[in-house]
Amino acid sequence: MTTAFPVTRTLSSRPAAGPPVVLIHGFASSAAADWPAECWADPLAAAGRETIVVHLPGHAGGPKVAEAGEATTARVVDALAECAGAEEVDVVGYSLGARLAWELARHPRTSVRRLVLGGLSPREPFAAVDLAAARAAVRGGPSPADPLTGAITAMASAGDAESLLNLVEGLAAEPFDPSAGVPAVPTLFLAGREDLMAHGIEELAAQVPGARMRHVAGDHRGALVGVELREAVLDFLGAPDAA
């Protein structure tokens, strides 16, 4: 999977005031759910910024994942680099999108000016998923006994379950490993104060030289949809008029 994923582009409605902003959504969510245009693309356009909202594979608007080998971390990030293009961009990722954005910022074909990582866990959850049990469950079998596998199965069942589980398997084959290298660009870490999924994000922020860490109101979902997180992102990207 090396060609670009589908994207939704919104052009600036004013003279450009900065590079395009790439937005990468979370697992078992969608571009529309995580980045509603009225909250992100429209105000960014009014502030002189183009947006590139990515539709990840296995998710609404994105390509199906026929087998796990199509969706290893390296192949997904290669495709994200195609989405970002050769020009300088800012990148904002949330949850799984933040994990991928971490890797994208280090991609040799991508020039990232500023990076925002929201709701990011320092641990790799997908490698611990019992994929056999998850696949059996989405095909009508018993619910997995393991709580993590059960949670991933429930999330996958709300969408294209086979594609999403193939994506889980592909990403798990190349687990998130922060020790392998950190972003070398100005980075903002964000997490909800009640977000258990991002527990330990401060450990990641401490590894990135000069990174900022900010906690905002809400749990994993509540933080993303809250005004406080959005205002923090827009301010960091230099688009205060969009808030």
Side-chain angles (χ1 to χ4, degrees):
M1 188 180 294
T2 56
T3 57
F5 301 135
V7 300
T8 298
R9 289 180 177 267
T10 302
L11 299 178
S12 168
S13 57
R14 291 172 44 182
V21 181
V22 179
L23 300 169
I24 310 173
H25 66 78
F27 178 73
S29 186
S30 68
D34 281 6
W35 315 116
E38 63 272 18
C39 296
W40 294 94
D42 294 347
L44 281 166
R49 306 295 291 274
E50 177 185 354
T51 53
I52 302 170
V53 183
V54 179
H55 301 274
L56 289 175
H59 296 77
K64 288 183 174 293
V65 183
E67 58 182 24
E70 297 178 355
T72 61
T73 301
R75 296 190 74 174
V76 170
V77 175
D78 279 347
L80 288 172
E82 294 292 331
C83 295
E87 302 301 319
E88 185 179 63
V89 294
D90 288 340
V91 177
V92 181
Y94 197 79
S95 196
L96 170 59
R99 167 193 163 167
L100 297 172
W102 173 291
E103 302 293 344
L104 180 62
R106 302 190 300 119
H107 196 281
R109 296 200 307 274
T110 304
S111 175
V112 176
R113 186 193 69 141
R114 292 196 165 218
L115 176 66
V116 179
L117 303 173
L120 178 60
S121 170
R123 287 162 285 279
E124 168 56 68
F126 293 154
V129 173
D130 183 342
L131 283 160
R135 288 191 170 105
V138 300
R139 294 166 184 165
S143 298
D146 169 58
L148 173 61
T149 300
I152 295 295
T153 301
M155 295 167 73
S157 297
D160 181 348
E162 295 292 345
S163 279
L164 288 171
L165 292 177
N166 286 340
L167 176 64
V168 167
E169 182 178 358
L171 294 175
E174 296 174 349
F176 179 51
D177 181 11
S179 66
V182 302
V185 301
T187 304
L188 172 66
F189 288 83
L190 290 164
R193 296 185 186 92
E194 292 80 44
D195 184 359
L196 299 180
M197 296 180 68
H199 180 71
I201 191 173
E202 301 85 0
E203 302 167 18
L204 294 176
Q207 295 181 43
V208 179
R212 304 182 196 178
M213 176 73 235
R214 179 169 172 183
H215 291 90
V216 299
D219 57 12
H220 195 67
R221 184 66 190 168
L224 178 58
V225 301
V227 173
E228 191 177 357
L229 180 141
R230 185 166 66 252
E231 289 182 343
V233 172
L234 297 175
D235 181 64
F236 182 71
L237 299 184
D241 292 344

